Amino acid sequence: MKVLKSAMCVALIAISTLASPARAGRLETQFEVYLDVVASCSLVSATDVAFGSQVVAPGQQLEAFGSLKVRCNVPVAYQITLDQGLHGTGVNDRRMAGPGGDTIAYQLYSGDSGTTSCNDAAGVQWGNATTGCIYGDSYAGTEQDIQIHGKLTMGNPRAGSYSDTITATITY
């Protein structure tokens, strides 16, 4: 009898399992969709500040203009610093070197554009945070042309070619 009861239980369980609808499970998970947009700015080109060939007299003032072209890929604020050059002792003492060790002092300013301009009206030369003005602006959707304004007052140098090299650095 016990065997028969056991067989009947097994048969009933098998029949009830077959007759019951299968239960579906449900699981959920989540995931993110993201993109990291990276800002990139570059100094595309530079135009020299060329005072040219001049017949000068002591005390004569000269001006010359150059430019930096900046391009950024997305809206971003940036700053541009200029170093002291190869022959000066600081951004407020930039010098072009020439024949016989002679030098000619000059100053560099930005134009009036930008969120922070380093113009000569303020009397602060374009340089760095410690000793001069840092030019600042924001991406405007197109390549930007930033004016470099050079000024000098002639001393009594020897005739010859004078030059210096400035390094511009952009930070964004």
Side-chain angles (χ1 to χ4, degrees):
M1 181 83 174
K2 273 189 175 184
V3 174
L4 187 53
K5 261 188 181 183
S6 292
M8 281 181 70
C9 279
V10 170
L12 284 174
I13 291 173
I15 291 172
S16 69
T17 304
L18 291 175
S20 302
R23 291 193 169 194
R26 179 176 167 175
L27 299 174
E28 293 179 348
T29 189
Q30 296 177 341
F31 62 92
E32 293 182 26
V33 177
Y34 66 91
L35 167 68
D36 291 330
V37 175
V38 178
S40 175
C41 292
S42 60
L43 294 168
V44 178
S45 65
T47 303
D48 295 338
V49 177
F51 289 97
S53 296
Q54 302 283 341
V55 176
V56 295
Q60 182 179 358
Q61 295 183 344
L62 299 175
E63 291 184 272
F65 297 89
S67 68
L68 295 171
K69 287 197 185 291
V70 174
R71 182 184 306 137
C72 298
N73 65 326
V74 296
V76 64
Y78 62 84
Q79 295 181 321
I80 300 173
T81 59
L82 301 180
D83 73 356
Q84 68 191 29
L86 300 176
H87 310 291
T89 60
V91 296
N92 293 311
D93 181 43
R94 290 185 174 111
R95 295 181 173 274
M96 294 181 278
D102 282 1
T103 61
I104 298 175
Y106 66 97
Q107 301 83 43
L108 294 177
Y109 303 97
S110 71
D112 291 331
S113 66
T115 55
T116 305
S117 60
C118 306
N119 59 37
D120 58 338
V124 181
Q125 292 191 56
W126 190 350
N128 58 47
T130 305
T131 56
C133 176
I134 296 176
Y135 178 89
D137 207 352
S138 296
Y139 163 79
T142 59
E143 190 171 275
Q144 293 171 294
D145 190 22
I146 301 162
Q147 185 182 65
I148 304 168
H149 183 189
K151 294 177 96 175
L152 64 83
T153 301
M154 291 303 301
N156 196 16
R158 296 178 217 220
S161 293
Y162 292 78
S163 67
D164 195 12
T165 301
I166 298 291
T167 299
T169 303
I170 188 167
T171 305
Y172 51 93

